[in-house]
Amino acid sequence: MSAAEIGLARTLRWIAAGIAILLAVSLPLGYWLVVFSFAAEATANDAAAGAELVTQRINVNPELWRFEVPRLDAVAANHHADGPAQQHWIFDERGSVLAQNQQNLDPPLLSRAAPLLDSGRLVGRFVSSRSLLPLLQSTALVGLFALLLGLAIYLSLNLLPLRALKRTLGALGQERERLATIVDNAVEGIISFNADGLLQSLNPAAARMFGYDRAEALGRSAADLLPGIDIVRAGLPDWQAPLGTLEADGQRKDGQHFQIELALSQALLDGKPQWIAIVHDITERKRMDQALHESEARFRSLTEMSSDFYWESDAQHRLSQRYWVDKKLSSASVFGHGTPIGKRRWELPYLSPDEAGWQGHRAVLEARRPFRRFEFSRRGADGSERYLSISGNPMFDPSGAFRGYRGVGTDITARKRLEQALRESAQELRLFADNVPAMTASWDQNLCCSFANKMYSEFYGFSSDSILGRHVREVAGEEAYPEIEGYFAQALQGHPVTYQRTRKLANGEARYLAVKLLPHVGDKGKVLGCFSVTIDITEHKLAEQRMQRVAHHDSLTGLPNRLLFNDRLQQAVSLAKRDLRQFALLYLDLDRFKQVNDSLGHTAGDELLQAVAARIRRQVRESDTVARIGGDEFTVILSDVTRPEEAATVARKIIAALAKPFQLDSQKQSVEIGSSIGIAIYPSDAGDADALVRAADSAMYSAKQQGNSCRFCGAS
């Protein structure tokens, strides 16, 4: 076996051992993290469920709930039969134990607590605990399985045939292609020339830099690209030492000159001398600050203006240099420990990110790619968590060999704390919005929901998350959208809008809503959307309707009273005048009602009036108005009467209906009354409402003299 094969076999053994160890450690650790998280969540849910039961007792009896020991003991003893054994405690706000179950658990224990609230005020805690011993035992079994599996993998990899090793050695030939890929993707321009100064190759970055296609650039003289460099006369003894880095002029395909930083070196490729040039366009750098000629001075100045510290690491990613812009700061003053020089950043104690985050960062470093704003945190000298953000670029020597990284870093602790404060503020605002007695929502320019409080979301059948991003058409419904579309259009034009609408719920109940739309205006006066504030005014509307009915209807018979009668009579006059039509007014007075009321009492009189109102109502049309305007006086407005005889016919029907005996349930007997009706026709008998009432009243008194009859106005 060759030395290369022996070396590869040794490497494979190390890899096998590494995989086996990684599996033996990660499998039980991962299993432990999963089962522990499930157990923690279940314990928290159990504590929340118990707290909810106790909170119900608090709501029932907020003053004496803590003295209801049997009930609290029952809650503490509550346990799911199919779950693991648990201990429950109920504490008051001073930490005193109010109740607990008698379950004994083996340590170690996992505990979670849930608050007990009385109208939002903390009055105690419900604590639930369970034993972690079963989880540790199962984790130990998983660890044993992982150890055996790792041992099997290690033995399998060590027993690979030699033929597999040779195939692996053959795969190493692909390394050249990988390196070529790195060159093709390098951010610096890389160009090679032969001893005669003719271009042999250039990477895509160089092609872009000089404006050539790669094919048309091959064979060109070095003077076409580097007019200030004589490649042919720049040879060095033994083809070894590089010329180093220098600043020069480059020339693009269109003849434009630009400043470059050139790393020129000489090497033997396939036994032939070659020049390798690594080119960096420094035009922008020179334009920004001509006074800062030295690259190190320029870099440090930019660092001081934009960052808190500068750092460098070697090819093994060990920190080799770091200095703070503020000379008063140091690793000891910020983090409480000495300089981390010689250590990799993930080897120092950290709080974030997690292992996956560090693995991703290390993958970027191993690929030698630039990175920006990688964030991590450590424990500060004062014990608080301090956050850092670093950016870095890979460094290569003139031959293209990787030398490490250099970059800048910023202490972003203040920003992180501000972000946390903003998140907490947002949570507080959400809590406030969810507890105000109104439905609030925010809509963007496209009328898609960007925020809705809990009351708004639940009223329209959504959760606080599922309503986000939905169009107002989808939220309000297709039937309601045409009604409210115009209001939202006005709000998006910058006009506040207030309107009322009715929404029918799934159970058929109608809810009255008062809605106010406020434009969301940005800094420059641009309307960014609108806010909606919706209040359920159903109870107010129903109360208003009840008040309207009480104000306009007779409480005994339910008929319109004198106020509503006058309004409807005025409307009838206006409509008849407009349409050149006529209508009739019947003024009715009951005969012998006073004798019934005096002899049988007011209860009998009230019952009789209710029966009279019902009989009159049955003799007229739905469009006609029957009103009670006095003790035993009623009126009837007969709309759209073409001939006076029609009014007389209705009057005689009413007289006949009221002439029939009335059975009074309260007296267990029947009574007989009569009625006299006066009839006035608009506009022949009167030209306005008041005159029409007087005419009908006068006709009624004429009819009353005869008794149980009807008379027209002016009739003898």
Side-chain angles (χ1 to χ4, degrees):
M1 182 179 292
S2 65
E5 292 172 335
I6 293 174
L8 184 56
R10 183 182 299 111
T11 302
L12 285 175
R13 281 196 294 272
W14 280 107
I15 293 174
I19 293 175
I21 293 173
L22 179 62
L23 182 62
V25 173
S26 61
L27 188 58
L29 179 59
Y31 174 82
W32 166 254
L33 293 176
V34 170
V35 298
F36 179 84
S37 63
F38 283 150
E41 182 179 1
T43 305
N45 291 338
D46 182 70
E52 182 178 2
L53 293 175
V54 177
T55 301
Q56 292 175 0
R57 296 307 311 161
I58 295 175
N59 293 334
V60 172
N61 196 344
E63 300 296 330
L64 301 175
W65 68 272
R66 68 189 69 216
F67 303 106
E68 298 178 343
V69 176
R71 294 183 182 271
L72 296 181
D73 286 340
V75 174
N78 186 32
H79 173 67
H80 298 290
D82 56 347
Q86 295 176 331
Q87 282 183 336
H88 296 153
W89 293 270
I90 300 177
F91 299 91
D92 62 13
E93 67 272 19
R94 295 184 299 274
S96 300
V97 178
L98 301 178
Q100 70 178 81
N101 65 355
Q102 301 301 319
Q103 184 70 44
N104 293 322
L105 301 179
D106 296 322
L109 300 181
L110 171 64
S111 299
R112 290 293 184 270
L116 303 179
L117 302 177
D118 182 7
S119 301
R121 181 174 61 89
L122 182 68
V123 298
R125 293 177 297 115
F126 188 97
V127 179
S128 177
S129 300
R130 63 174 61 189
S131 175
L132 291 177
L133 184 60
L135 301 185
L136 291 174
Q137 293 172 343
S138 61
T139 302
L141 293 176
V142 172
L144 180 60
F145 171 78
L147 183 62
L148 295 176
L149 183 59
L151 180 60
I153 292 175
Y154 176 79
L155 294 176
S156 298
L157 292 178
N158 270 303
L159 296 178
L160 287 174
L162 182 59
R163 185 169 50 187
L165 295 179
K166 291 182 178 180
R167 284 198 302 267
T168 303
L169 286 174
L172 294 178
Q174 299 175 356
E175 180 67 14
R176 184 174 182 178
E177 295 181 7
R178 187 181 71 84
L179 294 176
T181 301
I182 294 175
V183 172
D184 286 343
N185 290 278
V187 296
E188 309 288 352
I190 302 175
I191 310 173
S192 66
F193 302 94
N194 63 14
D196 298 325
L198 300 180
L199 192 147
Q200 300 297 300
S201 67
L202 77 168
N203 69 345
R208 291 191 298 270
M209 189 181 302
F210 288 93
Y212 288 96
D213 292 334
R214 298 179 71 176
E216 67 177 335
L218 298 180
R220 285 187 174 273
S221 172
D224 293 338
L225 279 68
L226 307 172
I229 304 296
D230 190 347
I231 294 291
V232 177
R233 296 184 180 181
L236 296 176
D238 301 325
W239 313 100
Q240 292 177 357
L243 287 178
T245 301
L246 66 155
E247 294 182 1
D249 281 344
Q251 180 174 292
R252 294 192 173 94
K253 179 181 178 180
D254 59 5
Q256 180 185 0
H257 285 254
F258 64 104
Q259 290 181 300
I260 61 172
E261 188 175 76
L262 178 66
L264 191 61
S265 61
Q266 204 173 38
L268 284 175
L269 298 178
D270 298 328
K272 297 179 181 180
Q274 295 279 323
W275 287 99
I276 300 175
I278 300 179
V279 184
H280 177 60
D281 186 347
I282 61 171
T283 304
E284 187 63 26
R285 187 182 74 189
K286 288 292 184 178
R287 185 181 298 117
M288 289 175 61
D289 196 353
Q290 287 291 338
L292 297 177
H293 186 69
E294 294 293 331
S295 61
E296 180 67 19
R298 177 192 61 81
F299 188 74
R300 287 181 180 272
S301 178
L302 292 175
T303 300
E304 292 175 359
M305 290 187 292
S306 62
S307 307
D308 293 330
F309 59 89
Y310 167 82
W311 61 271
E312 287 187 7
S313 61
D314 59 20
Q316 285 73 43
H317 309 302
R318 295 185 294 257
L319 190 65
S320 58
Q321 182 180 161
R322 181 167 75 179
Y323 74 88
W324 295 81
V325 173
D326 187 348
K327 303 304 180 183
K328 298 179 182 179
L329 300 178
S330 66
S331 297
S333 64
V334 176
F335 295 109
H337 55 70
T339 176
I341 299 299
K343 297 181 180 179
R344 301 173 178 87
R345 61 178 62 95
W346 55 86
E347 294 175 345
L348 297 170
Y350 60 83
L351 299 177
S352 69
D354 56 14
E355 186 62 27
W358 282 112
Q359 290 291 347
H361 177 60
R362 293 172 66 176
V364 172
L365 298 183
E366 293 301 329
R368 299 171 185 174
R369 297 197 305 267
F371 64 90
R372 298 291 181 267
R373 293 179 292 279
F374 173 69
E375 298 180 1
F376 60 96
S377 64
R378 305 191 193 283
R379 186 72 63 189
D382 59 357
S384 64
E385 186 173 9
R386 298 191 70 90
Y387 294 87
L388 298 178
S389 174
I390 61 173
S391 299
N393 284 331
M395 297 186 296
F396 301 91
D397 62 18
S399 66
F402 176 67
R403 293 196 300 112
Y405 273 86
R406 63 184 174 190
V408 294
T410 304
D411 187 335
I412 59 172
T413 303
R415 190 195 81 192
K416 285 290 188 179
R417 290 174 179 172
L418 178 60
E419 291 174 353
Q420 178 63 27
L422 289 175
R423 284 192 294 270
E424 293 175 354
S425 176
Q427 293 173 355
E428 292 173 357
L429 289 175
R430 161 62 73 174
L431 181 62
F432 172 77
D434 286 344
N435 287 275
V436 295
M439 295 177 279
T440 59
S442 175
W443 310 89
D444 62 18
Q445 292 175 297
N446 299 317
L447 293 183
C448 292
C449 183
S450 57
F451 170 83
N453 69 350
K454 183 178 180 181
M455 183 183 295
Y456 191 98
S457 302
E458 292 179 348
F459 182 81
Y460 285 97
F462 296 93
S463 66
S464 298
D465 294 330
S466 64
I467 197 173
L468 299 181
R470 296 182 183 270
H471 194 272
V472 66
R473 179 197 299 270
E474 186 179 359
V475 175
E478 291 291 342
E479 295 182 0
Y481 183 67
E483 176 187 352
I484 65 176
E485 181 181 11
Y487 299 128
F488 276 89
Q490 293 181 49
L492 292 182
Q493 293 173 1
H495 306 295
V497 181
T498 301
Y499 64 92
Q500 294 184 6
R501 59 179 296 264
T502 304
R503 177 176 175 83
K504 183 168 289 187
L505 303 183
N507 59 4
E509 179 186 1
R511 306 299 294 181
Y512 296 91
L513 305 177
V515 184
K516 186 168 187 177
L517 301 180
L518 300 173
H520 179 193
V521 183
D523 295 337
K524 298 182 180 180
K526 181 180 179 181
V527 178
L528 305 178
C530 65
F531 304 101
S532 66
V533 180
T534 306
I535 299 176
D536 189 334
I537 59 172
T538 303
E539 297 303 324
H540 173 75
K541 278 289 186 180
L542 295 178
E544 187 179 76
Q545 292 174 2
R546 288 192 294 270
M547 292 176 63
Q548 287 288 335
R549 182 164 185 82
V550 169
H552 293 89
H553 288 78
D554 177 47
S555 60
L556 178 62
T557 63
L559 296 177
N561 59 12
R562 181 180 292 275
L563 182 64
L564 183 55
F565 162 73
N566 290 335
D567 180 69
R568 292 190 179 179
L569 181 60
Q570 191 64 51
Q571 291 181 27
V573 170
S574 299
L575 291 174
K577 183 181 296 185
R578 184 193 67 186
D579 299 335
L580 301 178
R581 295 183 302 177
Q582 62 181 0
F583 69 91
L585 173 64
L586 277 58
Y587 203 109
L588 183 150
D589 184 80
L590 300 181
D591 299 334
R592 299 184 299 278
F593 172 75
K594 187 174 186 304
Q595 291 90 325
V596 174
N597 198 48
D598 291 343
S599 61
L600 300 181
H602 293 294
T603 301
D606 290 347
E607 185 178 352
L608 178 58
L609 289 174
Q610 291 173 344
V612 167
R615 289 190 184 183
I616 296 175
R617 191 78 211 119
R618 287 194 292 269
Q619 308 309 313
V620 299
R621 300 166 298 187
E622 285 292 332
S623 59
D624 299 330
T625 297
V626 179
R628 181 190 177 205
I629 61 173
D632 60 348
E633 294 181 345
F634 296 82
T635 58
V636 179
I637 302 174
L638 300 177
S639 59
D640 196 16
V641 173
T642 58
R643 295 181 297 110
E645 289 75 11
E646 295 178 5
T649 299
V650 174
R652 283 191 287 271
K653 288 171 60 178
I654 294 175
I655 292 173
L658 298 182
K660 297 177 182 179
F662 289 87
Q663 181 66 38
L664 301 181
D665 294 338
S666 62
Q667 302 298 320
K668 304 299 183 182
Q669 70 179 68
S670 63
V671 298
E672 293 183 3
I673 62 172
S675 59
S676 300
I677 300 177
I679 305 172
I681 305 297
Y682 175 89
S684 59
D685 293 332
D688 60 60
D690 292 339
L692 193 66
V693 171
R694 289 194 298 271
D697 184 40
S698 177
M700 182 269 294
Y701 276 106
S702 297
K704 200 169 185 64
Q705 292 176 1
Q706 182 176 355
N708 208 34
S709 64
C710 62
R711 285 287 185 274
F712 280 96
C713 176
S716 58

